[in-house]
């Protein structure tokens, strides 16, 4: 059983309020309607933070739910935040994360991969974007209180 830890950051006011819950990937599939009900009638901006392969499954489910028919979808994935490419293998070739690879195949999603989550430029870009909700799934960085 795959256990994914999520942290929801409701960015209606800065700094964000934090809600935590645990869900299996199958429970996430069942809860898509519950996530959609969190939003009001207007389309809301969602930012996803994740890095490994297990986060790709969650991102893919959210992406599919956001691309549902226009009448049903109440949110869009505005941006994805992941770890920067890291050296891998004997030759230490820079390799992008699985979430990075997924996001590159979806040009409608903006991609961020800051060295540290407390990077001032990154936080300014995120604040400027004014997301309504941030979802983390195995991001791999400590999020600063300013987040």
């Amino acid at each position: 059983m795959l256990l994914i830890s999520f942290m929801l950051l409701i960015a209606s006011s800065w700094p964000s309020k934090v809600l935590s819950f645990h869900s299996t990937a199958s429970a996430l599939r069942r809860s898509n309607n519950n996530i959609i009900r969190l939003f009001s009638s207007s389309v809301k901006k969602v930012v996803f933070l994740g890095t490994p392969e297990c986060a790709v499954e969650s991102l893919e489910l959210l992406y599919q739910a956001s691309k549902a028919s226009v009448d049903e979808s109440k949110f869009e994935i505005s941006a994805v935040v992941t770890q920067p490419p890291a050296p891998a293998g004997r030759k230490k070739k820079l390799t992008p994360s699985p979430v990075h690879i997924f996001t590159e195949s979806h040009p409608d999603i903006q991609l961020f991969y800051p060295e540290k989550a407390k990077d001032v430029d990154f936080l300014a870009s995120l604040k400027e974007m004014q997301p309504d909700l941030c979802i983390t799934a195995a991001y791999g960085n400590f999020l600063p209180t300013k987040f």
Side-chain angles (χ1 to χ4, degrees):
M1 177 178 287
L2 176 64
L3 183 66
I4 301 172
S5 176
F6 288 93
M7 181 172 284
L8 300 179
L9 300 169
I10 301 173
S12 57
S13 63
W14 202 265
S16 304
K17 299 177 183 176
V18 177
L19 302 170
S20 295
F21 68 95
H22 294 278
S23 174
T24 62
S26 61
L28 179 62
R29 286 186 192 95
R30 291 190 306 269
S31 67
N32 276 344
N33 290 336
N34 293 334
I35 291 171
I36 292 172
R37 286 186 200 126
L38 287 172
F39 302 110
S40 63
S41 60
S42 63
V43 176
K44 301 297 181 177
K45 296 178 186 175
V46 173
V47 173
F48 181 86
L49 296 92
T51 299
E53 189 65 41
C54 63
V56 173
E57 185 175 343
S58 302
L59 176 57
E60 190 168 10
L61 290 170
L62 287 168
Y63 184 77
Q64 289 171 359
S66 73
K67 295 301 177 188
S69 70
V70 176
D71 296 335
E72 293 178 21
S73 182
K74 304 287 186 202
F75 68 97
E76 65 178 10
I77 299 177
S78 301
V80 169
V81 183
T82 189
Q83 295 287 324
R90 287 185 179 182
K91 295 183 180 182
K92 302 296 183 194
K93 180 181 176 188
L94 287 181
T95 306
S97 71
V99 168
H100 187 145
I101 293 168
F102 175 86
T103 306
E104 283 181 335
S105 64
H106 298 85
D108 56 328
I109 303 174
Q110 188 174 5
L111 177 65
F112 294 103
Y113 45 93
E115 287 292 325
K116 296 187 180 203
K118 62 183 177 183
D119 179 49
V120 177
D121 294 332
F122 164 66
L123 290 174
S125 298
L126 195 62
K127 188 173 183 177
E128 185 179 308
M129 187 180 296
Q130 297 181 338
D132 296 296
L133 182 70
C134 293
I135 301 174
T136 66
Y139 171 54
N141 245 342
F142 288 108
L143 299 176
T145 55
K146 291 181 182 180
F147 189 84

